[in-house]
């Protein structure tokens, strides 16, 4: 009993002593953040129909990923290492190494603040293009858009960012010749740039471009505006043309994201997306080349502290009956619909 | 008997330690003003100095304290205002990370042999993790400190209030040293000396 009490008092004293030491540090501590997510999906055709990313398993309680991000900054130098495990965090979002094993790495880069306004960053980074992201914490909807699925996920390279003011910044960088690979195919010759403007409080807009001889050329506009405390409107528009070396074709699309907070813990949102594939032989995740799809997703985010429960209903309508959806009976159909119930815990 | 005596000592030590921890809560340094808004307010006597001298030293403090924002003259005589922001953290130990930033204003007013200052207009801007793993402000979300409990709960709000209290206390110390024209006292870290000759 006595030993236990002594041990307890030693532990308590250690905790307080440790916190006292923390307060003397000038640099922020090593920061750990991340998430876990799991979901149930029911496709009304009784098999998975939608070609967009994640929430792939029909009539199954399935896992997304566990995501762990580490960040440390000492003075002006920082690193970020983000690891992910699970279907969403491995084969569905990152490439494997040459030996077929997953490296589990979403982000691995170092950065240096040359001045308060000028930053240099290099390594393997999530793409700067697009509205939606791989982490379920960063998205309102659990299923993803066609624009997200067909755009880049990661762009390894080197970039420089200059903040003219808190309302205008410009990033320019040179990236590997192909998206979503840990190494370049041959060269580091894809150019990327991002102009950020924040015209008024709550409104941010990103004009993005990514172009290379192998990666093709994509222009992207990503913007969101918190119009009132309760209402937010987001928009993503992009157009992509495949590189000549890869093929012909590409895609164009636009997605609108209105969201309304109906209470402190509940927000309702809609995603309306129009996605069109260009004629050619470049493969896309969507309707056949030269066709289009209109997708409507109704989502609720119900928060309980760090936990978000996401019920979601989605209805996709292809232009043609031969654009890829299969009905319950096995016949081609224009429509596909699904229900998803997901839970995301962020830490 | 000796066993019971030792147990009492251990319990007493634990209670003392907990009391010290509770006493270290910094949020108590904040108060509400007439409009029911959080404020850190102090009136300091400074015998022998005129209002103008105090004002000039206060201005120099404000300029050096936040170089990115030039102080502004207030409407009342011998009054100046400046504003700034600082980070607040959520979580403890390994799970500690940037929870958001606090925007604030400092108002300093002087008269002969006395000055007062208030730190107020606290607004919380929550942070979220971006695609690159950095914690960044959520655009367009600004929560006045007075409304934080309703939005984030008491536990989270108390955590931030403690950090705001600490910031205000340390800012007050810096202002005092600037007005006194004396650098803030630094703790002299004594380095233990040992003899390596006799062993």
């Amino acid at each position: 009993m006595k030993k236990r009490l002594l041990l307890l008092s030693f532990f308590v004293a250690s905790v307080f002593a440790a916190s006292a030491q923390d307060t003397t540090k000038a640099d922020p501590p090593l920061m750990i953040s991340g998430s876990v997510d799991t979901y149930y999906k029911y496709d009304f055709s009784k098999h998975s129909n939608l070609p967009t990313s994640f929430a792939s398993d029909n009539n199954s309680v399935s896992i997304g990923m566990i995501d762990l991000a580490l960040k440390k900054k000492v003075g002006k130098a920082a690193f970020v290492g983000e690891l992910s495990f699970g279907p969403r965090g491995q084969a569905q979002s990152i490439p494997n190494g040459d030996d077929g094993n997953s490296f589990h790495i979403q982000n691995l880069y170092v950065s240096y603040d040359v001045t308060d306004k000028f930053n240099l960053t290099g390594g393997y980074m999530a793409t700067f293009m697009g509205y939606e992201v791989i982490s379920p914490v960063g998205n309102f909807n659990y299923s993803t858009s066609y624009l997200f699925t067909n755009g880049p996920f990661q762009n390894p390279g080197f970039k420089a960012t200059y903040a003219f003011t808190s309302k205008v910044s410009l990033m320019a960088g040179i990236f590997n010749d192909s998206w979503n690979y840990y190494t370049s195919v041959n060269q580091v010759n894809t150019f990327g740039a991002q102009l950020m403007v924040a015209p008024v409080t709550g409104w941010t807009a990103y004009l993005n471009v990514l172009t290379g001889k192998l990666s093709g050329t994509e222009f992207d506009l990503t913007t969101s505006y918190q119009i009132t405390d309760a209402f937010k409107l987001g928009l993503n528009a992009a157009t992509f043309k495949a590189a000549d070396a890869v093929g012909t074709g590409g895609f164009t699309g636009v997605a609108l994201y209105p969201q309304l907070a109906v209470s402190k813990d509940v927000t309702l949102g809609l995603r309306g997306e129009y996605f069109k594939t260009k004629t050619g032989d470049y493969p896309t995740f969507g309707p056949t080349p030269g066709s289009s799809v209109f997708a409507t997703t109704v989502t609720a985010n119900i928060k309980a502290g760090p936990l978000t429960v996401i019920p979601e209903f989605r209805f996709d309508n292809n232009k043609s009956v031969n654009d890829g959806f299969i009905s319950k009976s096995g016949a081609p159909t224009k429509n596909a619909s699904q229900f998803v119930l997901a839970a995301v815990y962020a830490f | 008997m000796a066993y019971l005596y030792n147990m009492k000592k251990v319990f007493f030590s634990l209670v003392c330690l907990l009391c010290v921890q509770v006493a270290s809560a910094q949020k108590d340094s904040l108060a509400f003003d007439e409009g029911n808004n959080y404020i850190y307010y102090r009136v300091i006597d400074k015998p022998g100095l005129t209002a103008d001298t105090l004002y000039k030293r206060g201005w120099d403090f404000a300029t050096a304290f936040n170089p990115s924002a030039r102080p502004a003259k207030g409407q009342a005589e011998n009054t100046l205002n400046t504003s700034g922001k600082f980070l607040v953290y959520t979580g403890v130990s390994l799970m500690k990370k940037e929870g958001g930033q606090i925007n604030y204003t400092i108002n300093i007013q002087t008269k002969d042999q006395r000055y007062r200052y208030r730190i107020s207009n606290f607004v919380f801007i929550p942070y979220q993790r971006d695609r690159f793993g950095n914690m960044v402000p959520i655009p367009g979300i600004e929560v006045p400190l007075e409304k934080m409990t309703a939005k984030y709960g008491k536990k989270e709000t108390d955590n931030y209030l403690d950090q705001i209290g600490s910031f205000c206390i340390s800012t007050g110390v810096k202002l005092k040293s600037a007005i006194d024209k004396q650098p803030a006292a630094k703790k002299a870290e004594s380095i233990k000396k040992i003899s390596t000759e006799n062993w």
Side-chain angles (χ1 to χ4, degrees):
Chain A
M1 180 68 180
K2 184 180 168 188
K3 277 182 185 171
R4 279 185 193 166
L5 280 169
L6 282 173
L7 196 64
L8 178 66
S9 58
F10 176 73
F11 174 73
V12 172
S14 304
V15 168
F16 290 161
S19 67
Q21 286 158 13
D22 279 346
T23 58
T24 63
K25 285 178 185 170
D27 294 309
L30 174 71
M31 291 189 189
I32 302 175
S33 59
S35 64
V36 298
D37 63 294
T38 180
Y39 69 93
Y40 169 80
K41 179 176 93 165
Y42 182 78
D43 193 301
F44 293 97
S45 66
K46 297 193 180 293
H47 58 265
S48 288
N49 247 330
L50 303 184
T52 53
S53 304
F54 316 140
S56 49
D57 303 338
N58 181 50
N59 200 18
S60 166
V61 176
S62 292
I63 56 173
M65 66 174 177
I66 176 168
D67 184 44
L68 289 167
L70 307 177
K71 181 183 179 183
K72 177 67 180 170
K73 187 170 189 181
V74 176
K76 296 179 172 184
F79 84 85
V80 169
E82 183 183 353
L83 306 169
S84 57
F85 301 83
R88 185 179 186 126
Q90 290 180 233
Q92 293 178 4
S93 67
I94 52 176
N96 288 330
D98 292 339
D99 60 357
N101 284 322
S102 176
F103 295 157
H104 303 282
I105 290 173
Q106 296 280 352
N107 274 297
L108 196 165
Y109 65 83
V110 294
S111 71
Y112 187 80
D113 295 330
V114 181
T115 68
D116 286 348
K117 295 184 169 184
F118 187 49
N119 172 272
L120 298 173
T121 301
Y124 185 77
M125 296 163 285
T127 186
F128 56 92
M129 309 281 285
Y131 191 94
E132 298 182 16
V133 297
I134 293 168
S135 166
V137 180
N139 296 332
F140 184 84
N141 311 98
Y142 191 74
S143 69
T144 56
S145 67
Y146 288 90
L147 284 171
F148 168 80
T149 299
N150 286 280
F153 282 10
Q154 295 93 14
N155 295 114
F158 173 79
K159 64 183 181 181
T161 307
Y162 187 81
F164 297 95
T165 68
S166 61
K167 294 180 174 179
V168 181
S169 70
L170 179 67
M171 180 281 287
I174 193 78
F175 301 92
N176 282 355
D177 50 7
S178 190
W179 305 343
N180 310 346
Y181 287 99
Y182 288 114
T183 58
S184 71
V185 175
N186 198 20
Q187 297 189 62
V188 184
N189 62 359
T190 293
F191 171 76
Q194 177 179 73
L195 175 67
M196 186 284 287
V197 290
V200 296
T201 303
W203 183 13
T204 52
Y206 299 86
L207 293 159
N208 305 310
V209 61
L210 196 60
T211 181
K213 285 184 178 175
L214 191 61
S215 60
T217 298
E218 181 170 357
F219 293 98
D220 175 274
L221 166 66
T222 293
T223 182
S224 68
Y225 187 16
Q226 186 76 41
I227 298 170
T228 69
D229 283 347
F231 184 64
K232 178 183 173 184
L233 186 63
L235 181 137
N236 185 205
T239 181
F240 171 74
K241 180 182 177 299
D244 293 341
V246 175
T248 56
F251 61 83
T252 299
V254 60
L256 202 60
Y257 301 81
Q259 287 154 21
L260 179 69
V262 294
S263 74
K264 182 171 77 75
D265 298 317
V266 180
T267 303
L268 304 177
L270 183 76
R271 176 180 58 207
E273 181 184 22
Y274 174 76
F275 181 82
K276 183 179 186 309
T277 49
K278 295 178 180 175
T279 307
D281 55 9
Y282 180 80
T284 55
F285 297 94
T288 54
S291 192
S292 63
V293 60
F294 188 82
T296 305
T297 309
V298 181
T299 304
N301 277 196
I302 304 160
K303 287 195 177 293
L307 177 69
T308 305
V309 177
I310 309 174
E312 176 177 297
F313 178 75
R314 176 166 172 168
F315 179 77
D316 287 25
N317 183 27
N318 276 333
K319 184 180 177 185
S320 163
V321 75
N322 295 316
D323 279 338
F325 293 152
I326 304 295
S327 70
K328 198 174 0 179
S329 64
T333 176
K334 286 175 71 174
N335 306 321
S337 53
Q338 67 177 28
F339 171 78
V340 172
L341 180 64
V344 179
Y345 188 100
F347 55 88
Chain B
M1 199 63 190
Y3 170 71
L4 279 175
Y5 177 71
N6 282 334
M7 256 179 57
K8 276 183 188 169
K9 277 209 291 191
V10 170
F11 272 125
F12 181 70
S13 303
L14 282 173
V15 168
C16 286
L17 218 46
L18 286 169
C19 289
V20 167
Q21 183 72 359
V22 170
S24 71
Q26 308 293 326
K27 66 174 179 162
D28 298 340
S29 60
L30 298 170
F32 284 108
D33 66 7
E34 299 86 343
N36 276 332
N37 296 315
Y38 277 105
I39 185 173
Y40 182 84
Y41 178 74
R42 295 292 183 272
V43 181
I44 313 287
D45 289 327
K46 191 62 191 167
L49 291 184
T50 65
D52 287 346
T53 303
L54 289 169
Y55 183 78
K56 186 179 179 314
R57 291 183 183 182
W59 186 278
D60 292 343
F61 160 79
T63 306
F65 187 68
N66 187 9
S68 61
R70 187 177 154 74
K73 280 189 176 182
Q75 287 183 337
E77 195 181 1
N78 289 327
T79 306
L80 66 93
N81 301 307
T82 187
S83 58
K85 63 188 180 187
F86 62 94
L87 291 175
V88 286
Y89 293 85
T90 182
V92 291
S93 193
L94 275 176
M95 299 311 293
K96 186 177 176 181
K97 59 176 176 284
E98 295 146 348
Q101 74 181 42
I102 300 288
N103 293 353
Y104 62 88
T105 59
I106 302 178
N107 169 276
I108 302 171
Q109 188 172 18
T110 66
K111 54 166 75 170
D112 288 343
Q113 306 187 50
R114 178 179 280 197
Y115 67 96
R116 66 176 181 174
Y117 64 95
R118 73 185 75 195
I119 310 175
S120 57
N121 297 333
F122 299 104
V123 176
F124 176 70
I125 297 175
Y127 276 26
Q128 67 183 359
R129 205 184 82 180
D130 69 5
R131 63 185 72 195
F132 306 113
N134 299 307
M135 300 300 289
V136 296
I138 303 175
I141 303 291
E142 297 184 351
V143 184
L145 191 55
E146 296 74 27
K147 293 183 179 174
M148 277 191 65
T149 307
K151 196 162 176 69
Y152 297 102
K154 189 175 183 310
K155 189 181 171 190
E156 192 74 0
T157 304
D158 281 353
N159 172 35
Y160 291 139
L161 285 173
D162 268 345
Q163 294 176 65
I164 294 166
S166 292
F167 170 81
C168 292
I169 290 167
S170 81
T171 303
V173 170
K174 286 173 187 165
L175 174 61
K176 185 176 184 307
S177 69
I179 296 283
D180 293 348
K181 281 274 182 183
Q182 287 177 348
K186 283 184 181 174
K187 264 189 185 175
E189 289 184 17
S190 59
I191 299 173
K192 193 178 171 185
K193 283 194 173 181
I194 54 169
S195 171
T196 58
E197 289 179 1
N198 301 322
W199 59 287

